[in-house]
Amino acid sequence: MNDEIILNVQDLNLWYGENHALHQVTLPIKNKKVTSLIGPSGCGKSTLIRCFNRMNDLVLGCHVSGNVIFHGQNIYDDGADPVDLRKKIGMVFQKPNPFPKSIYENIAYGPRIHGMKNKREIDETVENCLRKAALWNEVKDRIHESAMGLSGGQQQRLCIARTLAVNPEIILMDEPCSALDPIATSKIEDLIEELKKEYCVIIVTHSMSQASRVSDYTAFMYLGDLIEFGDTRQIFENPHKELTENYITGRFG
Ligand SMILES: Nc1ncnc2c1ncn2[C@@H]1O[C@H](COP(=O)(O)OP(=O)(O)OP(=O)(O)O)[C@@H](O)[C@H]1O
């Protein structure tokens, strides 16, 4: 079902100590669609995307209230397992961060720690993930060489392949192209288009043109509030809120 809500964010608040960084955010995220989070610097985009796989748990003094419902369970419930959650909801960061190991080992690592032992199965997973990340043809003759020898754009696609290797359902991308040149950026954007056939993708971007190119839905945030959420076309062509219109027309940013 393409209209299935895979992640239901309800009345989500987040504090960094005394700083109330997210206010009552309510947002339905649909499966097999791309959702962009946009807004000026400091509005809470990264904070929000990090809530979706509990990355903020690692920040001292951070406190969350509200619900993020995934498969009928609040991911913040006491019984929820953040390690298992991060397997199902993977994350790709702004700066490509491959391990200083071979291309092969970067991808084999996750499946191995989750119990995959059979070499043939691991080989197949590595190839499959590199193909899905549109990297196989470029690296197939050197998969046992260091990942650090890849270009920035290739490293970012490797990080995406690494995320895919543990069979996620949702891929979070926090400004995945901000360190890349326009050609590498366009390859990642093409890849996002492919990935959404199988996965839910949520992306933080500073680029409104990128949001309008890649996403089905867009959420505009301002000072920790979710101001407007809707179909990307509606947000960019017919925003309902004045703040959204002022932002997308470049009146502030
Ligand atoms: N680890 C942290 N500890 C304390 N405060 C934080 C932390 N991360 C973010 N903040 C604060 O939370 C608010 C939202 O920041 P966040 O990084 O989520 O915004 P953003 O929209 O992603 O910004 P940018 O576009 O500049 O990356 C800001 O006031 C920021 O200072």
Side-chain angles (χ1 to χ4, degrees):
M1 249 303 268
N2 270 2
D3 268 346
E4 176 205 350
I5 293 171
I6 188 163
L7 209 58
N8 210 350
V9 184
Q10 302 166 329
D11 301 322
L12 189 73
N13 287 273
L14 180 143
W15 292 261
Y16 292 113
E18 299 286 297
N19 177 9
H20 191 179
L22 292 178
H23 312 147
Q24 291 290 116
V25 174
T26 292
L27 178 68
I29 304 280
K30 300 221 174 135
N31 198 11
K32 301 193 181 173
K33 300 282 180 196
V34 181
T35 300
S36 287
L37 308 181
I38 63 166
S41 191
C43 69
K45 306 178 294 294
S46 295
T47 298
L48 180 61
I49 203 171
R50 289 198 305 251
C51 283
F52 298 158
N53 71 349
R54 293 185 50 171
M55 290 293 282
N56 291 314
D57 285 13
L58 312 170
V59 178
L60 208 68
C62 177
H63 167 69
V64 172
S65 77
N67 298 324
V68 178
I69 307 291
F70 179 55
H71 291 302
Q73 195 198 7
N74 182 13
I75 66 170
Y76 285 95
D77 276 353
D78 287 343
D81 174 4
V83 175
D84 190 45
L85 180 74
R86 291 183 197 127
K87 179 170 173 273
K88 294 183 186 131
I89 307 183
M91 187 142 193
V92 175
F93 298 88
Q94 195 167 346
K95 199 165 166 286
N97 59 349
F99 306 133
K101 289 172 179 285
S102 70
I103 296 166
Y104 180 98
E105 287 300 327
N106 262 272
I107 298 170
Y109 180 80
R112 272 204 204 107
I113 58 166
H114 288 290
M116 195 185 284
K117 291 194 178 72
N118 183 292
K119 176 156 184 327
R120 219 176 75 198
E121 206 183 337
I122 297 173
D123 287 352
E124 274 171 21
T125 302
V126 169
E127 177 171 340
N128 208 355
C129 294
L130 286 169
R131 283 189 188 280
K132 278 190 185 171
L135 192 57
W136 175 250
N137 286 340
E138 289 164 56
V139 302
K140 62 175 188 262
D141 301 322
R142 50 167 166 150
I143 55 170
H144 296 292
E145 290 174 23
S146 172
M148 308 317 281
L150 298 173
S151 72
Q154 288 172 326
Q155 287 187 8
Q156 195 61 305
R157 278 178 282 142
L158 178 66
C159 292
I160 294 171
R162 184 175 66 187
T163 304
L164 300 180
V166 292
N167 283 326
E169 294 175 45
I170 303 179
I171 305 165
L172 308 176
M173 300 186 173
D174 192 354
E175 293 185 49
C177 303
S178 65
L180 306 180
D181 66 32
I183 292 172
T185 295
S186 130
K187 285 188 182 163
I188 300 280
E189 290 183 2
D190 291 346
L191 177 55
I192 291 172
E193 189 69 29
E194 275 305 301
L195 291 174
K196 80 171 187 186
K197 293 178 185 157
E198 236 180 292
Y199 308 92
C200 165
V201 179
I202 307 173
I203 176 172
V204 166
T205 177
H206 269 125
S207 156
M208 283 185 269
S209 56
Q210 178 168 70
S212 66
R213 279 193 301 271
V214 305
S215 61
D216 301 288
Y217 297 97
T218 296
F220 168 61
M221 298 182 68
Y222 185 66
L223 296 177
D225 286 307
L226 174 65
I227 303 295
E228 188 165 353
F229 167 73
D231 191 270
T232 294
R233 234 173 134 170
Q234 177 258 309
I235 295 287
F236 284 97
E237 290 175 13
N238 181 27
H240 296 161
K241 300 278 171 65
E242 201 180 334
L243 257 180
T244 316
E245 182 169 0
N246 288 345
Y247 182 69
I248 59 165
T249 54
R251 264 171 260 176
F252 69 92

